[in-house]
Amino acid sequence: MNTNLLTNTDVKIPEISLGCMSLPHEKLTSHAIIHSAISHGINLLDTADLYQNGLNEEMVGEAIRDKREEVILATKVGNQIRPDGSGWDWNPKKEYILEAVEKSLKRLGTDRIDLYQLHGGTIDDPWEETLEAFEILKKQGKILAFGISSIRPNVIRKVMGMNPPATIMMQYNPLDRRPEEVVFPVLEQSDTKVLVRGAFAKGLLINKEAHEYLGYDAAKVKSVQDFFNSFDISPEALLIRFGLNQKAVGSLVIGASSVKQVERIARSYEESEGIEEDFIQAVRRKLPANFYHDHR
């Protein structure tokens, strides 16, 4: 599988990564999914301390106990779970990040996190101390690189002007082309790579029943779904190439809840490599465009 280098590291991330939020609660099944992904070169595992209140990190850590050097571990911080378990609160402060990383390291059973990501962010966050926390952790060797997860152009511009992250995670697919307007052009001029989530639009562009999505009514979603299923190329392969065709994109983070899904993703990636640039551009011209209205 093709890879992209994370800036200021020797870490090479695969063009397809495994989103671990979709892993089933049954450990043996989840371990099998992770092992299958690794065997197919899908060796960036993306989890978060929020997923299943930390149990997702534990499950990932157990699955890679004997495979740590084969994988790239990515997790997220910023959503502080309340002591009573009633929910969580946003906390991007330095003190919390330095405390939370220790718990993630323990759950993951490792001495380092390859990519530590802020799980959100607003323009009013205390970015100086947030970014300072990540730099402290890099100097301590507890993380190799940091990223943010944000779809907000104003936040992305601010952080890029202060301390460019190795990665920015955001949603991108044919029904959500908002990053094309502002964010991709900015990031194409940098070494920061985009981690794409939602590349399949939650299955809406493959085989799930059409429903309203980002302002598009069900009929419009169905028309785009039919379009992607009208070729002699699998919709998964077409969607993978659609995402990877963007210069700023480093990897598509795709979830899987079974080994069969991992195998299908791997086959679709191989199929996608035969799709020509001109074909993707022709597909893009026939699709609707949308734009950011907030947080510009």
Side-chain angles (χ1 to χ4, degrees):
M1 180 170 293
N2 294 326
T3 60
N4 289 291
L5 188 67
L6 282 189
T7 181
N8 296 323
T9 75
D10 60 359
V11 177
K12 295 180 179 179
I13 61 172
E15 289 191 323
I16 302 294
S17 303
L18 181 67
C20 294
M21 187 174 68
S22 301
L23 292 174
H25 289 255
E26 206 283 307
K27 286 186 178 181
L28 291 181
T29 302
S30 290
H31 291 180
I33 291 169
I34 291 171
H35 295 164
S36 177
I38 295 170
S39 72
H40 285 95
I42 304 172
N43 66 333
L44 190 158
L45 309 179
D46 179 74
T47 180
D49 58 4
L50 181 65
Y51 300 162
Q52 299 165 270
N53 289 354
L55 291 178
N56 197 274
E57 285 185 327
E58 289 183 11
M59 195 156 49
V60 170
E62 291 171 4
I64 63 166
R65 186 168 295 155
D66 300 322
K67 299 177 180 293
R68 179 63 185 94
E69 299 310 312
E70 298 178 43
V71 304
I72 301 158
L73 267 182
T75 192
K76 307 182 195 75
V77 65
N79 294 294
Q80 185 173 14
I81 297 172
R82 297 172 191 151
D84 63 3
S86 62
W88 58 86
D89 300 295
W90 179 239
N91 190 348
K93 294 181 179 179
K94 178 176 76 172
E95 182 181 11
Y96 174 66
I97 291 172
L98 297 180
E99 172 190 323
V101 73
E102 301 297 338
K103 296 177 181 178
S104 285
L105 287 167
K106 184 177 181 180
R107 286 191 291 261
L108 290 164
T110 186
D111 62 354
R112 77 176 191 282
I113 293 166
D114 300 308
L115 178 62
Y116 202 36
Q117 304 159 95
L118 189 68
H119 205 171
T122 72
I123 196 69
D124 297 319
D125 285 345
W127 285 102
E128 290 81 4
E129 66 173 276
T130 298
L131 297 173
E132 181 187 359
F134 288 129
E135 288 301 322
I136 289 171
L137 293 176
K138 284 169 63 177
K139 289 177 181 177
Q140 293 175 342
K142 293 177 181 176
I143 70 172
L144 297 185
F146 79 91
I148 66 171
S149 177
S150 178
I151 62 170
R152 303 174 183 227
N154 60 354
V155 167
I156 291 169
R157 281 194 296 264
K158 182 170 186 175
V159 176
M160 290 297 292
M162 295 176 67
N163 186 356
T167 62
I168 299 178
M169 179 176 281
M170 65 189 70
Q171 179 166 282
Y172 179 62
N173 60 59
L175 289 172
D176 187 359
R177 298 176 61 191
R178 292 175 296 175
E180 293 179 15
E181 180 195 9
V182 176
V183 177
F184 284 168
V186 169
L187 298 183
E188 284 174 4
Q189 307 304 313
S190 74
D191 293 326
T192 298
K193 292 298 182 183
V194 173
L195 300 183
V196 168
R197 60 177 176 82
F200 293 171
K202 299 180 179 179
L204 282 178
L205 297 179
I206 299 172
N207 54 18
K208 287 193 175 179
E209 183 176 353
H211 57 74
E212 185 179 340
Y213 184 90
L214 278 182
Y216 296 120
D217 60 26
K220 183 61 178 178
V221 171
K222 182 66 165 60
S223 70
V224 177
Q225 182 188 75
D226 290 344
F227 177 63
F228 270 80
N229 281 272
S230 66
F231 303 100
D232 291 331
I233 304 166
S234 71
E236 291 95 335
L238 188 51
L239 290 165
I240 286 171
R241 190 48 48 194
F242 182 91
L244 292 176
N245 188 249
Q246 291 290 340
K247 181 182 175 183
V249 171
S251 184
L252 308 183
V253 181
I254 303 175
S257 57
S258 69
V259 169
K260 285 186 177 181
Q261 286 184 356
V262 171
E263 293 172 345
R264 184 164 184 173
I265 291 167
R267 288 196 304 272
S268 297
Y269 173 77
E270 291 180 3
E271 182 185 3
S272 78
E273 292 190 287
I275 301 175
E276 298 290 340
E277 163 84 14
D278 290 348
F279 184 78
I280 293 297
Q281 295 303 334
V283 166
R284 184 173 282 111
R285 287 193 293 270
K286 292 182 178 294
L287 294 170
N290 49 4
F291 307 96
Y292 289 107
H293 298 289
D294 302 318
H295 316 293
R296 294 182 62 88

